[in-house]
């Protein structure tokens, strides 16, 4: 059975390749056109120091691709000239292959399908939260975002944190990997993060949003100086 499979890349562009890195934003998803099985693609920036910030990073960026099957995702990882180019121009490079088991909402009208809605009983999971923030609510949103980011930095069980987005201030996302679903739940269902979520829904901060949890098929590389290897 074919399962939708996503590949997320995080890249810190080398200092001598910043021109090439900047060109990724100009080209957008055009270099990804005509890749077999690709259903959805976003080329992303990142916050300062790779975090969730109103100040964009000059070197940290990423991409999020969704494929119609694990086979096409694997083919992309094994033979894509795009991935090779990113690696050749990177100071740090991280790649995660994940499959959704829970998702609500949409991203630019695109929704993820979940063929198996059961969370893994053991092992790491990933989470992607993204939102288009209403301009009239941006100041309120960012006031809530900072305490939530401080809380996640202190949370136990986190493996990786990345703040990414399509545009500074208004179109933001967070990608995280956790030891297990329990660790994510412990962070998400209390404290500053829970307060931020209640405010976001209660006061309609977002014009569009998507909240997805994934099984981690594999993840490897370096992000913010941290080496990650799963499995």
């Amino acid at each position: 059975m074919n399962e939708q499979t996503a590949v997320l890349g995080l890249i810190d562009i080398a200092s001598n390749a910043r021109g090439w890195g900047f060109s990724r934003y100009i080209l957008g998803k055009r270099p990804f056109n005509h890749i077999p099985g690709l259903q959805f693609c976003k080329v992303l920036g990142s916050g300062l120091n790779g975090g969730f910030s109103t100040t964009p990073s000059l070197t940290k960026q990423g991409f999020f691709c969704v494929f119609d099957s694990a086979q096409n995702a694997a083919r992309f990882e094994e033979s894509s000239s795009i991935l090779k180019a990113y690696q050749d121009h990177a100071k740090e490079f991280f790649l995660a292959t994940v499959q959704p088991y829970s998702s609500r909402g949409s991203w630019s009208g695109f929704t993820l399908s979940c063929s198996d809605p059961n969370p893994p009983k053991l092992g790491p999971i990933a989470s992607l939260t993204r939102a288009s923030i209403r301009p009239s609510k941006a100041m309120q949103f960012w006031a809530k975002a900072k305490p939530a980011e401080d809380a996640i930095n202190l949370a136990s069980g986190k493996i990786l944190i990345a703040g990414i987005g399509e545009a500074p201030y208004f179109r933001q996302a967070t990608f995280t990997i956790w030891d297990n679903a329990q660790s994510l739940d412990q962070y998400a269902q209390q404290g500053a993060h829970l307060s931020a979520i209640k405010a976001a829904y209660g006061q309609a901060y977002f014009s569009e949003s998507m909240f997805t949890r994934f099984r981690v098929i594999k993840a490897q590389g370096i992000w913010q100086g941290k080496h990650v290897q799963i499995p």
Side-chain angles (χ1 to χ4, degrees):
M1 179 176 63
N2 289 337
E3 287 188 80
Q4 250 183 2
T5 303
V7 178
L8 180 133
L10 298 171
I11 306 98
D12 188 3
I13 300 296
S15 58
N16 63 352
R18 290 189 178 184
W20 185 90
F22 182 72
S23 73
R24 300 304 94 191
Y25 299 122
I26 297 172
L27 293 170
K29 64 182 182 181
R30 277 176 286 174
F32 294 84
N33 288 345
H34 311 300
I35 293 175
L38 184 66
Q39 297 179 318
F40 180 79
C41 178
K42 290 288 185 181
V43 173
L44 305 164
S46 182
L48 190 66
N49 299 320
F52 197 55
S53 170
T54 55
T55 304
S57 170
L58 295 177
T59 62
K60 291 180 170 63
Q61 55 182 262
F63 60 83
F64 179 68
C65 295
V66 180
F67 293 86
D68 59 1
S69 67
Q71 292 78 12
N72 279 325
R75 189 176 296 114
F76 168 73
E77 293 176 6
E78 292 164 4
S79 60
S80 170
S81 60
I82 300 169
L83 284 190
K84 179 67 164 56
Y86 271 116
Q87 288 176 296
D88 288 346
H89 293 88
K91 176 184 174 183
E92 292 184 345
F93 182 81
F94 170 84
L95 200 68
T97 308
V98 295
Q99 291 178 332
Y101 69 84
S102 172
S103 187
R104 67 178 188 272
S106 61
W107 192 345
S108 296
F110 179 81
T111 58
L112 285 161
S113 61
C114 305
S115 58
D116 181 359
N118 299 308
K121 294 180 180 179
L122 297 172
I125 67 163
S127 172
L128 176 69
T129 65
R130 61 80 45 191
S132 296
I133 305 161
R134 298 181 192 275
S136 62
K137 301 290 185 178
M139 290 185 66
Q140 294 159 273
F141 169 82
W142 284 103
K144 291 284 187 180
K146 185 61 170 68
E149 183 180 25
D150 291 343
I152 200 172
N153 287 328
L154 297 173
S156 61
K158 65 182 181 299
I159 296 173
L160 179 140
I161 307 167
I164 47 180
E166 298 167 81
Y169 210 67
F170 297 116
R171 300 176 75 181
Q172 297 291 309
T174 303
F175 179 78
T176 55
I177 300 178
W178 301 80
D179 286 336
N180 48 52
Q182 292 75 22
S183 294
L184 173 54
D185 287 338
Q186 185 174 13
Y187 162 72
Q189 296 175 6
Q190 64 181 359
H193 182 269
L194 180 60
S195 174
I197 291 297
K198 286 183 175 179
Y201 278 104
Q203 300 178 42
Y205 285 180
F206 309 141
S207 58
E208 186 189 44
S209 61
M210 187 174 79
F211 301 88
T212 305
R213 292 188 177 189
F214 304 88
R215 299 176 188 83
V216 179
I217 307 305
K218 61 180 178 178
Q220 58 186 9
I222 305 172
W223 182 245
Q224 295 176 291
K226 182 176 182 179
H227 292 254
V228 177
Q229 180 75 45
I230 302 171

